[in-house]
Amino acid sequence: MSDAGYDHAAVERRWQEAWDDEDAYRTPDDVEDPTYVLGMYPYPSGKLHMGHVRNYTITDAYARYRRMQGEEVLHPMGWDAFGLPAENAAKERDTNPRDWTFDCIDTMREQMNAMGFGYDWEREIATCTPEYYQWNQWLFSRFHDEGLVERRDAEVNWCPHCETVLADEQVEGEAELCWRCDTPVEQRELEQWFLQITKYADELLEAIDDLEGWPNSVRQMQRNWIGRQYGTELDFDISGHGSVTAFTTRVDTIHGATFFALAPDHPISEAVAAEDDDVRHFIEEKADPEGDEPNGVATDLTATNPATGEEIPVYVADFVLSDVGTGALMAVPGHDERDHAFAQKMDEEIVPVIAPEPEAGEEPVIPDVSEEAFTDDGVLVNSGEYDGLESETARERLTADIESAEEATQYQLRDWGISRQRYWGTPIPVIHCHDDCGAVMVPDEDLPVELPEFINTTGNPLDAADEWKQTTCPDCGGEATRETDTMDTFVDSSWYPLRFVSPDLEDAPFDLEQANDWLPVDQYVGGIEHAVMHLLYSRFFTKVLADHEGLAHREPFTNLLAQGMVQLEGEKMSKSKGNVVSPQRIVEEYGADTARLFMMQAAQPERDFDWSEEGVRSTYAYLSRLTEMVADITADEPDGEDDAVASYVRAEIDATVAIASAEYDELTFNRALRETQDLTRTLRQYAAHTDPHAETYRRGLSVVVRLLAPVAPHLAEELWEELGQDGLVVDAEWPAAEIDRERVTKRRQLVQNTREDIRDIVDVAGIEDPEAIEVVVAPEWKYDALEIAIESDADNLIGELMQESHIREQGDAAASYGQDLQAEREALSTTLDSEAEHAALESAAWLIEREFDAPVSVVHAVEVPESVHKNAEPGRPAIEIED
């Protein structure tokens, strides 16, 4: 092989064609319970970016590994093909979203094939096809039948640039910007379709604990988003307006309620604003729920505290939200930081009614709340008959004693508004009758409701599709109009793993029997940014389908990996920053295997990592050297002895197989690949040191090729064939080895420590050309002393050691070693025994001989004078160097 490396383009082209010819990645319908590996399907934006490449290399490598383990594997790919960007791109280019989308899909599919991703393309789906989205419509009707669909006026997040509604999850940051275009989001009142995810709030929350294969960070994000709180609902009488219900988690503080607050859009606030210019001005001009500090305006109203009968002032305040709790709250500034800040601003009274729990027999010390609220639980003070009660007990008593009070549960989670005022999405299958039938579901036999031709206009193009809009009512036959809102694209992605099971099924969204056998997805991979949108919605859909359509599982994904970003110089790659690395360029210059291998060895999959051109070149050099090693053995079969060196290499091969396999199981590919590259280095050193034992060396190369095959599949196929192996490596049997991993770790550490000690001695003593190196294993009694020290809990370790006659006989040496053990007692760990250390060092002596170009002898302590072995310890032999 030349210094230029191997011909990656020819190799990759050849094996991609071979995989196609062999239908290597096809999963037949009749297989039982395949391992389902899935990467979050991409939006077809036009070209793959490095984030895509990393995501899909992870799933591809894992799918290939499982296939080589002898498992049937389902590894499909599809396209999240609806969405506003395609609509905007079509408008800008005066084309239509469908043509634009499918052009992008063709480009990205070609790039995926160039990367060597092993997908079952016969199962490919695109959510923008009527064959797919008719089942969105069918599912909408089923949800409607089960009482999980509602249409109502609602204040919605509106992006004026995108001209569409956004879900709460699509509004980002304190500035409330659109997740796609960074435009400030406005609030509008629109009639919307909702899926009632809140009916599943408790199960969605409680089942999180069972998602043991998910990252804790994602599980916590979902808990926070659902935001369940237990508390009390109770009524305050508002002068002139009757009872208003408030929700509180701290009814134990009710005696410290010094004012009452209403949300700006609460009906009473709006009624007051109609007559009070100050209140109207505040609501229309000043209210800022996202502001850094609470703002509000006083009204002439008072509220009656149901626990005390006292009248307290009523404010309209922007820190009260109509969609959190009841839009009304009792304010207790002594024990809530936000209420405290507002009370100071408005000069309202701040009364402490909770004190820290006192020591037994002592009176509680009332806290000073003039400058800061006391927010912990404690005991009640200034609360009449409830004084002295602990907070939790007081909450129970007050809830029972106050006539209007009852236990209540509140959630931050809101129903999922799916209406979008845009063209490129699934038409909501509803017809609005002009007579008295109202909103009527489109009958199943009339599905799909297909999109009309695209009209390039401002606003929602479906509103301009007059001929498409005009229809007849399915119930009465009278004139009617189609719903012109389309569905949020997260509907498409909430059930798409089910469609891969039976993508061509014409009479149902999925084959139920097959879905119940093949799902849930065993390993799912995608970005953590989907933690509270796609992943939560998918869980909701799965539970509904389990309850009403016979699905046998209630969670869609058993294991989830949230992969990290690919960065350049510490920053996320993006077109706007101009720091994008083109996957296509890397493939052309170095090959897909190089890009894949570099990405997978650079960091654990869930970690961010920096793209490095130097790292890419180094990876390419490694693959080129491996290619040369295989070429050399096929050109000139070695004929070396099966000696101690071969034994060492065999032990390293077995260790590598066992450790790398365990790392593949855990998806810690970087560690598996580090093991593989270390073995490659050992094999190179072996061939450079001596004529290798043919069977050992060939097995080593065969193992390296198979361990690399999930990540660098093209070159692995090429080298597998050159090694004379039958069939494709994609179908090859994964190498096997049984080892004691702890023993291997100790053996490797022993060899590493010994080599480092020799380097240090050579460096410190200034020995330029060692004549001979002697490695002396510690005397047996030191191993016994170490074992006693590890197992003993006696205060006097030396005394315990001296009870052993063979240790006591060592005299001062035993006392000195005992003192060392006593000093390091917390850090002690077991080592190999004396014989195992000797054998390990003897088999690794060739590595030391190669490095220092000097003969190495490994001896037991009994073979040398005490002056030589006195410094030898278990795991740290003594070193004698002759210069």
Side-chain angles (χ1 to χ4, degrees):
M1 298 295 295
S2 71
D3 292 340
Y6 70 101
D7 186 351
H8 57 265
V11 167
E12 290 173 3
R13 186 167 53 250
R14 177 188 180 197
W15 291 106
Q16 286 162 15
E17 290 173 358
W19 295 329
D20 284 345
D21 291 344
E22 292 294 322
D23 220 0
Y25 307 110
R26 176 75 181 130
T27 307
D29 286 338
D30 59 359
V31 303
E32 290 187 16
D33 192 22
T35 300
Y36 194 166
V37 182
L38 187 62
M40 291 182 185
Y41 65 174
Y43 175 76
S45 56
K47 291 183 179 178
L48 291 183
H49 55 65
M50 280 300 179
H52 289 134
V53 174
R54 190 181 193 197
N55 185 341
Y56 302 133
T57 301
I58 291 168
T59 57
D60 192 53
Y62 190 66
R64 289 173 180 277
Y65 167 64
R66 285 295 171 200
R67 191 175 279 113
M68 293 176 74
Q69 289 278 3
E71 299 172 19
E72 297 285 356
V73 175
L74 174 62
H75 185 221
M77 178 48 65
W79 310 96
D80 191 10
F82 271 141
L84 195 59
E87 190 169 332
N88 290 340
K91 287 181 178 181
E92 290 169 11
R93 293 163 177 79
D94 200 22
T95 180
N96 67 78
R98 187 184 189 284
D99 291 346
W100 167 260
T101 298
F102 279 102
D103 283 347
C104 291
I105 287 174
D106 290 344
T107 299
M108 292 175 73
R109 188 191 304 110
E110 189 176 318
Q111 288 181 306
M112 287 181 169
N113 285 326
M115 290 303 304
F117 297 145
Y119 296 123
D120 182 353
W121 284 112
E122 291 189 34
R123 296 183 182 276
E124 180 183 15
I125 60 173
T127 59
C128 65
T129 62
E131 292 77 17
Y132 185 89
Y133 69 71
Q134 80 172 84
W135 300 112
N136 285 346
Q137 296 169 342
W138 184 89
L139 288 166
F140 180 90
S141 292
R142 298 293 77 72
F143 277 48
H144 182 270
D145 292 347
E146 303 302 336
L148 293 168
V149 173
E150 184 180 17
R151 188 174 190 241
R152 64 174 186 266
D153 285 339
E155 190 172 80
V156 296
N157 305 306
W158 177 264
C159 176
H161 179 267
C162 298
E163 298 186 83
T164 190
V165 168
L166 303 176
D168 287 346
E169 299 90 333
Q170 295 165 325
V171 180
E172 296 187 335
E174 290 186 6
E176 292 201 309
L177 304 179
C178 172
W179 72 318
R180 288 201 183 275
C181 68
D182 288 339
T183 300
V185 172
E186 301 172 355
Q187 299 299 304
R188 285 196 181 180
E189 190 85 13
L190 290 177
E191 204 163 29
Q192 297 282 289
W193 290 99
F194 289 87
L195 299 184
Q196 293 183 305
I197 189 173
T198 53
K199 290 189 175 181
Y200 282 78
D202 285 323
E203 187 188 348
L204 286 167
L205 180 65
E206 288 157 12
I208 290 172
D209 290 344
D210 298 326
L211 298 175
E212 295 176 358
W214 286 40
N216 286 332
S217 58
V218 174
R219 296 199 291 174
Q220 192 56 47
M221 289 165 77
Q222 290 210 357
R223 288 189 190 99
N224 293 343
W225 191 259
I226 295 167
R228 183 170 68 187
Q229 289 185 309
Y230 295 111
T232 303
E233 282 188 348
L234 68 171
D235 293 342
F236 282 71
D237 191 65
I238 306 292
S239 56
H241 292 273
S243 292
V244 171
T245 301
F247 172 80
T248 178
T249 60
R250 295 295 306 272
V251 73
D252 53 316
T253 67
I254 192 169
H255 288 80
T258 57
F259 63 95
F260 196 80
L262 299 168
D265 57 349
H266 192 282
I268 294 177
S269 301
E270 293 175 345
V272 172
E275 300 176 0
D276 187 321
D277 289 344
D278 289 342
V279 174
R280 189 185 75 252
H281 178 71
F282 172 76
I283 292 173
E284 294 178 356
E285 304 292 337
K286 290 188 174 182
D288 180 14
E290 297 298 321
D292 293 334
E293 59 181 45
N295 290 302
V297 61
T299 71
D300 292 331
L301 305 178
T302 60
T304 304
N305 185 325
T308 66
E310 294 176 0
E311 299 293 318
I312 56 177
V314 175
Y315 286 84
V316 175
D318 60 10
F319 62 85
V320 188
L321 306 178
S322 60
D323 62 349
V324 177
T326 64
L329 59 81
M330 67 174 204
V332 184
H335 303 287
D336 181 277
E337 292 173 358
R338 178 203 54 207
D339 295 352
H340 191 283
F342 189 79
Q344 284 186 316
K345 196 172 191 176
M346 299 299 176
D347 199 25
E348 284 293 347
E349 190 177 7
I350 301 174
V351 178
V353 293
I354 305 291
E357 194 164 340
E359 296 292 331
E362 295 184 8
E363 291 295 314
V365 177
I366 297 176
D368 178 5
V369 292
S370 59
E371 297 300 323
E372 186 177 35
F374 175 71
T375 58
D376 294 341
D377 275 4
V379 296
L380 271 64
V381 295
N382 297 330
S383 300
E385 64 183 281
Y386 301 95
D387 281 357
L389 292 179
E390 293 182 352
S391 287
E392 187 173 347
T393 303
R395 286 194 280 270
E396 295 173 2
R397 285 268 300 274
L398 283 157
T399 302
D401 292 351
I402 296 171
E403 186 176 352
S404 66
E406 58 182 31
E407 291 181 356
T409 307
Q410 294 279 359
Y411 302 85
Q412 179 174 296
L413 182 69
R414 293 292 169 262
D415 283 331
W416 175 13
I418 66 164
S419 295
R420 298 294 181 268
Q421 292 67 44
R422 62 191 183 214
Y423 168 82
W424 195 231
T426 299
I428 293 176
V430 170
I431 290 172
H432 298 283
C433 179
H434 292 180
D435 292 325
D436 297 327
C437 300
V440 180
M441 291 293 117
V442 173
D444 288 355
E445 59 270 21
D446 292 340
L447 299 178
V449 177
E450 293 197 38
L451 289 165
E453 289 299 312
F454 179 63
I455 300 172
N456 193 346
T457 182
T458 58
N460 182 358
L462 290 181
D463 281 330
D466 293 330
E467 186 176 339
W468 176 84
K469 277 200 307 184
Q470 304 312 314
T471 186
T472 55
C473 174
D475 284 358
C476 71
E479 292 185 2
T481 304
R482 292 192 185 280
E483 173 65 64
T484 59
D485 284 354
T486 53
M487 295 185 195
D488 181 6
T489 55
F490 281 109
V491 172
D492 309 352
S493 58
S494 291
W495 68 279
Y496 80 105
L498 288 158
R499 188 64 181 172
F500 283 128
V501 168
S502 43
D504 300 320
L505 195 64
E506 294 182 357
D507 58 358
F510 51 87
D511 182 289
L512 182 60
E513 184 178 348
Q514 202 165 330
N516 285 340
D517 182 40
W518 286 18
L519 275 86
V521 173
D522 294 285
Q523 183 63 60
Y524 199 40
V525 178
I528 199 169
E529 66 271 17
H530 295 297
V532 293
M533 290 189 285
H534 162 56
L535 291 171
L536 189 63
Y537 296 151
S538 296
R539 296 182 62 220
F540 167 50
F541 260 65
T542 305
K543 293 178 190 308
V544 175
L545 292 172
D547 284 339
H548 303 296
E549 298 299 330
L551 207 58
H553 56 279
R554 301 191 71 80
E555 293 289 347
F557 313 114
T558 302
N559 296 293
L560 171 69
L561 188 151
Q563 95 276 1
M565 291 188 300
V566 184
Q567 301 175 329
L568 191 64
E569 297 178 353
E571 288 194 314
K572 180 181 178 180
M573 290 186 187
S574 71
K575 291 179 183 177
S576 61
K577 293 178 182 174
N579 64 348
V580 173
V581 174
S582 163
Q584 191 169 352
R585 175 184 69 80
I586 299 300
V587 170
E588 289 172 358
E589 288 188 30
Y590 301 102
D593 285 340
T594 297
R596 291 168 57 124
L597 179 55
F598 170 65
M599 277 192 164
M600 299 293 271
Q601 72 186 15
Q604 286 183 211
E606 63 271 21
R607 302 269 175 83
D608 298 342
F609 83 96
D610 254 18
W611 182 265
S612 158
E613 201 78 15
E614 182 182 348
V616 174
R617 286 193 293 269
S618 173
T619 303
Y620 184 67
Y622 164 74
L623 292 176
S624 298
R625 285 194 299 271
L626 178 60
T627 303
E628 290 176 5
M629 291 168 68
V630 172
D632 289 344
I633 193 176
T634 54
D636 184 15
E637 187 78 12
D639 190 25
E641 296 294 320
D642 186 2
D643 54 13
V645 180
S647 173
Y648 174 88
V649 173
R650 277 198 298 275
E652 279 301 298
I653 292 169
D654 286 343
T656 300
V657 167
I659 295 171
S661 300
E663 301 296 355
Y664 266 113
D665 278 332
E666 296 298 319
L667 284 83
T668 43
F669 303 103
N670 59 315
R671 294 176 185 165
L673 295 169
R674 184 167 62 235
E675 285 287 329
T676 305
Q677 290 175 312
D678 285 348
L679 176 59
T680 310
R681 188 179 304 111
T682 298
L683 292 171
R684 285 185 71 215
Q685 291 172 337
Y686 182 28
H689 176 70
T690 186
D691 193 23
H693 178 239
E695 184 180 341
T696 300
Y697 191 67
R698 273 191 169 274
R699 178 176 174 242
L701 287 174
S702 163
V703 163
V704 167
V705 167
R706 280 177 286 169
L707 294 181
L708 280 177
V711 181
H714 308 89
L715 186 60
E717 292 285 8
E718 185 81 3
L719 300 184
W720 187 248
E721 183 183 68
E722 284 194 34
L723 286 170
Q725 303 289 350
D726 294 332
L728 294 171
V729 77
V730 72
D731 298 320
E733 189 174 334
W734 190 256
E738 290 294 326
I739 63 157
D740 181 337
R741 189 163 178 175
E742 184 180 357
R743 189 177 179 85
V744 166
T745 302
K746 291 175 182 175
R747 175 173 62 78
R748 288 179 167 183
Q749 193 64 53
L750 170 69
V751 173
Q752 180 182 326
N753 289 346
T754 304
R755 295 176 72 180
E756 288 176 355
D757 287 347
I758 295 171
R759 289 182 199 122
D760 288 345
I761 294 170
V762 166
D763 185 47
V764 171
I767 302 172
E768 292 185 6
D769 191 15
E771 290 293 321
I773 300 172
E774 189 172 56
V775 180
V776 184
V777 176
E780 289 278 0
W781 66 266
K782 286 192 175 180
Y783 293 87
D784 294 340
L786 174 63
E787 185 176 349
I788 291 169
I790 290 171
E791 294 179 357
S792 171
D793 56 7
D795 292 334
N796 183 6
L797 174 61
I798 294 175
E800 188 169 349
L801 292 175
M802 293 307 172
Q803 292 177 21
E804 302 293 328
S805 59
H806 71 295
I807 296 176
R808 186 172 62 250
E809 289 169 1
Q810 308 304 318
D812 291 344
S816 176
Y817 187 51
Q819 288 175 342
D820 292 343
L821 293 175
Q822 180 79 49
E824 299 172 9
R825 205 160 179 180
E826 296 301 318
L828 296 177
S829 60
T830 58
T831 65
L832 298 176
D833 62 38
S834 173
E835 284 302 323
E837 279 202 13
H838 185 276
L841 289 167
E842 200 165 47
S843 70
W846 66 279
L847 290 169
I848 303 171
E849 290 179 356
R850 280 197 76 244
E851 183 174 355
F852 296 99
D853 194 22
V856 174
S857 58
V858 181
V859 298
H860 288 289
V862 294
E863 301 174 47
V864 297
E866 183 184 350
S867 61
V868 175
H869 73 62
K870 67 178 180 180
N871 293 325
E873 295 181 6
R876 211 93 202 198
I879 311 294
E880 282 284 301
I881 300 179
E882 183 183 330
D883 64 349

